[in-house]
Amino acid sequence: MQAYLREVARGPKGARDLEVEAAYEAACAILDGQATDAQIGAFLVALRLKGESVDELAALTRALRERSAAAGMEACSGPVLSAVPGVLDCAGPYDGRAHSFAATVPVAVVLAALGVPVFLHASASLPPKYGVTLLDIWRALRLAPAHASPVADETPSPDRLAAQLAEARVVLADTERWCPALARLRPLRQQLGVRTALNTAEKFLNLSQAEFLVVGVFHGAAVEKAADLALRLDGRSVLVVQGVDGSEDVPTHRVSQVCRIQGGKIEKLLVNPADLGVQAPCPRVEWSVSDQARAIADVLQDPQHPWRAMVVLNAGIRLWHVGRCEDIREGIERVRECLDSGEAWEQFQAMQLDKS
């Protein structure tokens, strides 16, 4: 591990990017317990200060994928893909939502009502934000266990996941249950308290072997790097968006950069909510778990809800991304019809364990 540290920790003028195989070997050493905590912390911080290269991020993602339940799915010819085609994996920030509405949850409900299977994933909150996570929201919404993460004493099963997706259309997985290597690094990440390459790599795990992904990043400058990473990893169809709070949710108050990776090519576009008729404020709010849960239930019922536009926009974008409509405008119209007809609310109620 010291050899890799010498390359990335030479200082602002001497630090060098690792070649992809060297980066992979370093990632394996970290994930397999062959490096000390001091070495891991130094390596991750050095990468952050240097700026992670796409090769380094791809190598780390590859190593994490090989140590997750997703590897079992791929080895057995991808039961999720064969049994439930067209799955959309939604990858947001693992440090949770601090100041933004978790639109991805009601968006998943809408898409499920329209026949699109959606795979969500999260973990207990992490630094630097320590925000509200999807696991917190899932519990607060009293969603049925069949739609949640595997129980504590059960090994994550690809077949079980396929069955859940086929039946429920929306599944939430606890990522650290599906990728134990990440769970082992949690104490160290909490001690560091800053973003590292892990924050990016975990978004690209694709635990469900989904055909489509939507991945959120915070800064516009990070959109192209994430798009290059998606292009490097595999042939999936990936939508990289400049979302609020580093999430996969495009805001309704500003123009956002979006990159669509499909067929080995990157398509760049700008999403302008004003042009699409969904412009609305996105105020900075200090969200609690109960606030998020209440807003999610309300937004599915109230056409005038202040966060309705955000749900409409993002569901429309994702409906277009998975090929269910010709363009984003058509997707937006179909989403509005689904919400106004009450289909989305019925889907949500079907997902709840306790209807009271």
Side-chain angles (χ1 to χ4, degrees):
M1 195 66 200
Q2 290 178 341
Y4 307 124
L5 269 170
R6 281 195 292 269
E7 296 299 313
V8 301
R10 291 174 181 265
K13 294 183 179 180
R16 294 184 292 188
D17 295 339
L18 293 176
E19 297 292 336
V20 64
E21 283 308 311
Y24 174 71
E25 290 170 5
C28 291
I30 288 170
L31 300 177
D32 294 340
Q34 297 170 0
T36 68
D37 283 354
Q39 290 172 331
I40 297 171
F43 183 78
L44 292 174
V45 171
L47 283 185
R48 175 178 166 84
L49 294 174
K50 173 183 71 65
E52 302 97 344
S53 71
V54 174
D55 277 346
E56 289 163 345
L57 290 170
L60 178 57
T61 305
R62 171 187 162 196
L64 281 170
R65 284 181 172 186
E66 291 171 351
R67 288 155 180 78
S68 73
M73 295 181 201
E74 197 164 20
C76 59
S77 302
V80 175
L81 289 178
S82 60
V84 191
V87 176
L88 174 66
D89 180 298
C90 300
Y94 276 66
D95 57 355
R97 305 296 188 98
H99 306 293
S100 65
F101 174 55
T104 198
V105 176
V107 166
V109 174
V110 172
L111 292 176
L114 291 169
V116 178
V118 179
F119 182 81
L120 301 173
H121 44 98
S123 69
S125 195
L126 283 161
K129 288 202 302 285
Y130 280 114
V132 175
T133 74
L134 296 189
L135 289 180
D136 300 326
I137 295 169
W138 216 250
R139 297 185 187 103
L141 288 171
R142 307 185 308 279
L143 296 183
H147 307 279
S149 56
V151 295
D153 59 349
E154 181 180 344
T155 301
S157 162
D159 290 332
R160 183 176 186 269
L161 177 57
Q164 287 178 327
L165 279 167
E167 177 185 357
R169 293 290 176 186
V170 182
V171 167
L172 173 69
D174 182 340
T175 301
E176 290 183 358
R177 292 270 300 113
W178 288 77
C179 187
L182 277 175
R184 289 192 292 271
L185 290 173
R186 169 174 285 274
L188 187 144
R189 297 176 74 179
Q190 291 174 321
Q191 291 168 31
L192 289 177
V194 298
R195 287 185 57 81
T196 69
L198 293 167
N199 291 69
T200 299
E202 62 197 356
K203 291 183 179 182
F204 286 89
L205 274 175
N206 195 10
L207 296 171
S208 66
Q209 294 294 307
E211 185 177 353
F212 302 96
L213 288 82
V214 57
V215 178
V217 298
F218 187 77
H219 298 290
V223 173
E224 290 192 15
K225 179 183 279 191
D228 287 340
L229 175 59
L231 191 62
R232 189 77 57 88
L233 288 171
D234 49 37
R236 313 291 180 183
S237 181
V238 183
L239 194 69
V240 178
V241 307
Q242 181 190 5
V244 288
D245 250 358
S247 76
E248 68 275 38
D249 293 330
V250 173
T252 52
H253 71 293
R254 61 163 166 82
V255 176
S256 295
Q257 296 183 54
V258 172
C259 282
R260 191 186 196 191
I261 300 89
Q262 197 169 44
K265 297 180 180 179
I266 298 177
E267 174 190 1
K268 301 177 183 179
L269 61 150
L270 296 177
V271 173
N272 189 338
D275 290 345
L276 295 168
V278 287
Q279 186 173 30
C282 282
R284 184 181 173 88
V285 177
E286 296 289 339
W287 289 95
S288 67
V289 177
S290 59
D291 290 339
Q292 289 276 11
R294 188 179 308 110
I296 288 166
D298 291 346
V299 78
L300 292 169
Q301 303 174 78
D302 182 4
Q304 305 304 317
H305 196 278
W307 296 106
R308 186 75 166 241
M310 192 172 182
V311 174
V312 169
L313 174 60
N314 283 280
I317 291 172
R318 294 176 204 180
L319 202 62
W320 161 74
H321 176 51
V322 300
R324 297 298 185 95
C325 55
E326 290 295 322
D327 54 35
I328 295 174
R329 289 183 186 277
E330 181 186 344
I332 285 173
E333 289 308 310
R334 291 189 59 190
V335 168
R336 283 185 172 134
E337 291 171 5
C338 181
L339 285 163
D340 292 344
S341 68
E343 291 177 67
W345 177 241
E346 291 175 7
Q347 170 72 29
F348 176 76
Q349 288 182 303
M351 293 167 59
Q352 281 193 301
L353 178 63
D354 177 8
K355 309 298 192 297
S356 62

